[in-house]
Amino acid sequence: MPVRCLRCAVAAAVVAVVGGCVDREGARPRAFPLRTGGPRPDQLPAMLTSEPPFRYPADLYAQKVQGNITLRIYIDSAGAIRPESTLVAESSGYPALDSAAVAGSRDLRFTPARLRGQPMAVPIYFPVYFRHPEAAPLPGDTILKPGKR
């Protein structure tokens, strides 16, 4: 079942070890690399994927199960995800939600990070939120009224 609406959709944003940032212009996620001891890019990767590629598992959707998953993904110097390096850094507690997040991450596309104008590969944390439109908000969720940002 594809997820389309913002409220019931998977909201994806990219965060750093110590926090994250979402660009308010169009609510586009911004990427922050993990601290690995290597050089930090001058320009962070930016997500190009317009529709979240994550599919809510039908049986969990029917049960109104919700969850947050944090993936560790590796964005190569061309902006592609290296699927073999993707792992669940923080589980939702539901293996099917975790698997759906990992599977969907394969379709994410980014502009590569840059260091002194040259593209570079970076690992990042990428949170995936599965929300059901009829379920109660999870602790920490911000409730926005329809039409407000």
Side-chain angles (χ1 to χ4, degrees):
M1 143 184 313
V3 180
R4 299 241 184 247
C5 72
L6 180 60
R7 184 129 199 277
C8 65
V10 176
V14 182
V15 297
V17 175
V18 294
C21 180
V22 175
D23 181 355
R24 296 221 181 242
E25 296 300 316
R28 297 291 300 173
R30 294 190 47 183
F32 289 87
L34 297 172
R35 294 185 188 268
T36 59
R40 271 185 84 87
D42 302 322
Q43 181 181 348
L44 300 171
M47 193 167 79
L48 297 172
T49 310
S50 59
E51 289 288 320
F54 307 99
R55 295 186 172 269
Y56 216 129
D59 57 332
L60 295 181
Y61 185 85
Q63 296 172 49
K64 299 181 183 175
V65 171
Q66 304 182 102
N68 302 335
I69 301 96
T70 302
L71 300 176
R72 182 189 180 280
I73 59 177
Y74 186 81
I75 303 170
D76 69 16
S77 61
I81 301 298
R82 294 294 180 130
E84 68 278 3
S85 68
T86 299
L87 60 91
V88 175
E90 187 175 329
S91 173
S92 66
Y94 297 95
L97 284 183
D98 296 351
S99 293
V102 170
S105 72
R106 294 180 189 125
D107 295 326
L108 293 170
R109 297 292 175 262
F110 293 83
T111 59
R114 294 189 175 275
L115 178 62
R116 293 185 281 287
Q118 297 300 311
M120 69 179 285
V122 292
I124 63 169
Y125 284 128
F126 191 92
V128 179
Y129 306 113
F130 286 95
R131 295 296 182 270
H132 192 284
E134 297 171 5
L138 293 178
D141 283 352
T142 301
I143 301 172
L144 296 177
K145 294 182 181 178
K148 299 214 177 192
R149 286 189 170 202

